[in-house]
Amino acid sequence: MIAHVDMDCFFCACEVKHNPEFAGKPVIVGSTGSRGVVSTANYEARQFNVFSATPISIARHRCPDGIFLPVDYGLYSQESKRVMGILEDIADDMQQVSVDEAYLDISRFIKTFNSLEDAAQAIKDRIYERTKLTCSIGISHSKVAAKIASDYRKPGGITIVRDMKEFLAPLPIGKIPGIGKVSKQRYQSLGILTIGDLAKKDRFWVIDNLGKAGVHFQDLAWGIDHSHLERRTTKSHSREHTLQQDTADTDGLLKVLISLAERVHKDTQQSFRVISIKIRYNDFTTITRDRSLSAPIRSLPLLTETARALFLENYEQKPVRLIGVKVSNLCREVQSTLDSFR
Ligand code: TTP
Ligand code: MG
């Protein structure tokens, strides 16, 4: 079972949380210059027809009394980390897809609740209690349906999709993630206005007229979702070694570090995103240092090189008692299960 959690008007919600005097007023976050665009507007501002990507000059015209704020990524990233940490505790596996949204495998989490609605409410409550931020949640056996569902009753809504085909049928074709403005116009020109219209089309007609992407979208319209959840099983792999004698011999320490990295690499069958090292000096002061990779990868040369660089950058030339290497933020692509539902 998959939940898609999406925070409500995220940038604005963070701003209002830290400036309570903005509550209830239209708030617009974006580049403040006249040529910029709106990053997001809160629901009060959306009533004035101000949305993400609206030019700021137009937004000022439509909502002259709005509170216009510059983008403060530091603040949003701090709040995002808090939210994702809460979700990580809840989910068996989790895939964060942007600063304010994530897919959660909640197959195990839901077992302690009487209904999916109760489980979703518990997720919302936990986020609100700890961050004072609200979100919307969609739950389904498919990622796509969960994503569309989280948007269905925004803000603050919960939508459970038990029958994906039935849920999608009346929705406009543009609701399918991946159908942008141009594709939407093409589908509409072919008489496909809703997802249900696509479901009804003959498969061979779809192949001829809409190609591979069309076939994929028709599968979704039929309730079939082939997408994957990036799954983490173990949280990290690490190896440490207490030296037989304390030593400040850099080359010797590097040799031990590399062999630890090789063993960690053997231990993990997954890609990793974060590499850490640990150094404990003979006075028992301990430092850990880590580095995040731009993408998850399972590469021994990258692991050894990064561990080596981290060590050389941080080693203080004092006698060392213990060193260690760790990889974390592991992930592996697995097929999301479509059964065990209903
Ligand atoms: P969204 O989740 O798309 O939007 P939102 O959280 O502001 O509003 P809601 O989910 O309630 O509809 O995007 C998350 C954040 O990403 C958003 O707060 C600001 C940023 N963003 C941009 O900077 N530019 C954009 O075009 C969009 C869509 C979002
Ligand atoms: Mg959002």
Side-chain angles (χ1 to χ4, degrees):
M1 195 64 65
I2 294 167
H4 182 257
V5 176
D6 190 303
M7 303 306 292
D8 298 325
C9 55
F10 185 58
F11 289 7
C12 289
C14 297
E15 296 288 354
V16 173
K17 173 180 170 178
H18 290 267
N19 304 280
E21 68 276 16
F22 296 161
K25 296 179 182 156
V27 175
I28 296 148
V29 171
S31 37
T32 41
S34 57
R35 286 151 57 83
V37 293
V38 173
S39 298
T40 196
N42 68 357
Y43 284 80
E44 287 84 347
R46 290 181 200 189
Q47 286 177 0
F48 294 87
N49 268 329
V50 174
F51 304 100
S52 295
T54 303
I56 287 283
S57 52
I58 294 180
R60 283 191 191 276
H61 184 71
R62 289 184 184 160
C63 188
D65 296 328
I67 296 162
F68 287 80
L69 301 169
V71 181
D72 180 352
Y73 288 110
L75 172 63
Y76 318 141
S77 138
Q78 182 191 321
E79 293 291 350
S80 169
K81 276 191 193 137
R82 219 175 269 170
V83 170
M84 296 304 157
I86 296 166
L87 297 179
E88 219 162 87
D89 284 348
I90 289 171
D92 296 338
D93 292 300
M94 185 176 122
Q95 183 188 348
Q96 183 180 346
V97 277
S98 80
V99 70
D100 87 324
E101 63 178 307
Y103 293 102
L104 281 63
D105 180 339
I106 51 165
S107 309
R108 205 163 31 168
F109 180 73
I110 55 177
K111 286 189 182 142
T112 49
F113 295 92
N114 290 326
S115 68
L116 293 173
E117 283 81 358
D118 286 356
Q121 188 63 47
I123 298 174
K124 279 191 61 179
D125 290 348
R126 203 182 288 187
I127 294 176
Y128 188 75
E129 277 160 20
R130 298 188 190 173
T131 67
K132 296 286 174 274
L133 295 170
T134 70
C135 66
S136 301
I137 301 184
I139 294 183
S140 180
H141 63 286
S142 122
K143 271 172 83 173
V144 173
K147 180 164 173 77
I148 296 174
S150 74
D151 191 48
Y152 196 67
R153 293 196 176 92
K154 256 194 174 292
I158 289 174
T159 305
I160 314 293
V161 178
R162 295 192 162 78
D163 185 325
M164 179 173 165
K165 189 178 170 195
E166 190 182 279
F167 170 71
L168 295 180
L171 301 180
I173 191 73
K175 283 279 175 193
I176 296 183
I179 297 195
K181 250 189 192 164
V182 177
S183 314
K184 187 170 103 180
Q185 279 167 5
R186 168 148 175 77
Y187 280 70
Q188 286 172 338
S189 72
L190 291 165
I192 300 168
L193 306 183
T194 66
I195 300 176
D197 292 337
L198 179 60
K200 278 185 261 167
K201 286 283 180 194
D202 174 74
R203 186 65 146 189
F204 291 104
W205 182 91
V206 170
I207 293 168
D208 290 343
N209 291 278
L210 301 170
K212 221 172 151 183
V215 168
H216 169 64
F217 296 142
Q218 191 179 43
D219 281 349
L220 296 176
W222 286 347
I224 302 164
D225 181 5
H226 297 297
S227 60
H228 302 91
L229 189 70
E230 255 184 25
R231 170 178 265 185
R232 281 191 329 267
T233 43
T234 322
K235 291 204 161 151
S236 64
H237 286 281
S238 62
R239 291 272 184 165
E240 293 180 349
H241 180 69
T242 305
L243 301 152
Q244 285 193 337
Q245 273 187 334
D246 300 344
T247 175
D249 166 20
T250 306
D251 287 343
L253 287 166
L254 275 175
K255 265 191 201 138
V256 178
L257 191 80
I258 301 302
S259 84
L260 290 171
E262 285 165 353
R263 278 155 67 186
V264 165
H265 186 260
K266 252 187 209 157
D267 290 343
T268 177
Q269 297 309 312
Q270 294 159 275
S271 302
F272 42 83
R273 200 170 183 136
V274 177
I275 296 168
S276 322
I277 60 147
K278 183 186 214 174
I279 306 173
R280 179 167 297 147
Y281 295 105
N282 66 344
D283 59 1
F284 279 87
T285 53
T286 305
I287 60 158
T288 57
R289 294 288 181 269
D290 55 44
R291 180 157 299 158
S292 296
L293 308 173
S294 54
I297 191 165
R298 185 177 173 275
S299 152
L300 179 59
L302 192 64
L303 171 56
T304 50
E305 262 323 295
T306 308
R308 192 188 154 82
L310 279 170
F311 180 84
L312 291 174
E313 280 161 30
N314 294 287
Y315 178 46
E316 288 169 17
Q317 300 298 332
K318 296 189 296 190
V320 172
R321 181 184 163 80
L322 169 149
I323 51 174
V325 175
K326 180 168 92 173
V327 295
S328 55
N329 285 37
L330 310 177
C331 52
R332 176 160 51 108
E333 287 268 292
V334 292
Q335 186 84 34
S336 60
T337 46
L338 295 172
D339 44 14
S340 71
F341 185 55
R342 256 185 288 182

